[in-house]
Amino acid sequence: MNNELFSLNGRIAWITGASYGIGFTIAKALYSAGAKIVFNDIGQEQVDKGLASYKAEGIPALGYVCDVTDENAVNATAVKIEKEAGSVDILVNNAGIIKRIPMTDMSAAEFRQVIDVDLNAPFIVAKAVIPSMIKKGGGKIINICSMMSELGRETVSAYAAAKGGLKMLTKNIASEFGQYNIQCNGLGPGYIETPQTDPLREKQSDGSRHPFDQFIIAKTPAARWGKPHDLAGPAVFLASAASDFVNGHILYVDGGILAYIGKQP
């Protein structure tokens, strides 16, 4: 197969909230395929830590302070990026939050905050880059949709509602702007080994698995948690010419959880 299909040479990739975690992993993957990396985070401290992490990896990333829920700030950042790096070819809407609160204990303000970051912000950032993508003759938008765009679970009503909405926003962007050679797809990570999930995988005092770890392993045909690098190939695929006729699709990288009803007791 022609490796040029997966080349991102000369492409400008903006990954939101990519100072660390999944966004950082995706940024590294896009860089390895040839893309120039720009990212943002909500505060200078986070951006500085992100820049240090990229430098340690040998990646000359550009970092910007930007609250993705602030339309004026996003528009101003898009202008800065175009001036300092070039117009965006690849947008990864990665910034997000989750509040694990039982629905009846959750305030409307808390619900709105999750919707604002996880759904309104991807709309705002996509809207900021789509005109330049049209002008350039195409572009790629990748929304981080999560398995919670398909499944419900206790305590995550706002997050699931936001990610379900993001799944449909993904399909609608594909529908509205596919004619301009813009592909908008979703990437849905399963349960991934990160520092944030380390406590859920700690061995118990008797040597057994943590109850949540047992639950995830039992629900996953791959019988393991995902590793950050499991997202690298799918991200490059959705960002590259290899996916030029893939539009409005949600690619779940979940080890098969969504395909599996679970083991019989």
Side-chain angles (χ1 to χ4, degrees), residues 53-263:
S53 297
Y54 284 106
K55 185 176 181 180
E57 295 281 344
I59 299 174
L62 296 177
Y64 299 87
V65 176
C66 178
D67 177 353
V68 288
T69 67
D70 182 336
E71 187 169 12
N72 291 332
V74 168
N75 290 338
T77 301
V79 170
K80 283 183 189 175
I81 290 171
E82 184 157 0
K83 181 179 179 181
E84 297 174 11
S87 61
V88 173
D89 299 288
I90 302 158
L91 169 65
V92 182
N93 274 314
N94 166 76
I97 61 171
I98 186 169
K99 290 182 179 291
R100 294 182 177 88
I101 303 171
M103 182 173 166
T104 52
D105 296 335
M106 189 175 219
S107 69
E110 289 169 326
F111 187 92
R112 289 190 192 99
Q113 184 186 7
V114 176
I115 298 295
D116 204 23
V117 176
D118 293 355
L119 178 56
N120 291 341
F123 163 78
I124 290 168
V125 185
K127 193 159 68 77
V129 301
I130 284 172
S132 64
M133 287 181 174
I134 292 173
K135 193 179 295 183
K136 290 183 78 168
K140 303 281 186 174
I141 299 173
I142 303 170
N143 293 325
I144 306 302
C145 287
S146 168
M147 292 188 305
M148 293 300 108
S149 61
E150 293 286 342
L151 297 172
R153 191 168 176 272
E154 299 85 351
T155 77
V156 293
S157 58
Y159 185 78
K163 294 300 185 178
L166 185 57
K167 175 181 70 176
M168 293 312 300
L169 178 63
T170 299
K171 292 175 180 290
N172 202 80
I173 291 172
S175 302
E176 192 166 351
F177 298 103
Q179 62 183 310
Y180 301 107
N181 191 33
I182 293 172
Q183 291 85 50
C184 181
N185 294 290
L187 189 61
Y191 287 92
I192 306 294
E193 291 183 2
T194 66
Q196 288 80 10
T197 62
D198 281 347
L200 300 175
R201 285 177 279 103
E202 286 181 351
K203 286 285 173 57
Q204 304 300 284
S205 56
D206 62 0
S208 64
R209 289 180 181 270
H210 186 287
F212 191 80
D213 188 16
Q214 293 180 38
F215 168 68
I216 293 304
I217 297 301
K219 290 292 292 180
T220 307
R224 68 174 178 86
W225 289 61
K227 298 183 183 297
H229 70 74
D230 288 318
L231 298 167
V236 171
F237 168 67
L238 291 179
S240 71
S243 61
D244 277 356
F245 205 55
V246 178
N247 213 356
H249 176 73
I250 314 299
L251 175 53
Y252 292 103
V253 186
D254 65 354
I257 288 179
L258 288 172
Y260 189 40
I261 196 171
K263 292 179 181 178

Side-chain angles (χ1 to χ4, degrees), residues 15-76:
I15 305 95
T16 67
S19 297
Y20 65 95
I22 286 174
F24 182 68
T25 296
I26 289 173
K28 288 195 297 180
L30 300 186
Y31 176 77
S32 71
K36 183 172 184 177
I37 303 302
V38 300
F39 73 98
N40 73 282
D41 216 317
I42 196 167
Q44 190 65 54
E45 182 180 355
Q46 293 93 325
V47 170
D48 289 344
K49 286 181 179 178
L51 287 171
S53 297
Y54 284 106
K55 185 176 181 180
E57 295 281 344
I59 299 174
L62 296 177
Y64 299 87
V65 176
C66 178
D67 177 353
V68 288
T69 67
D70 182 336
E71 187 169 12
N72 291 332
V74 168
N75 290 338

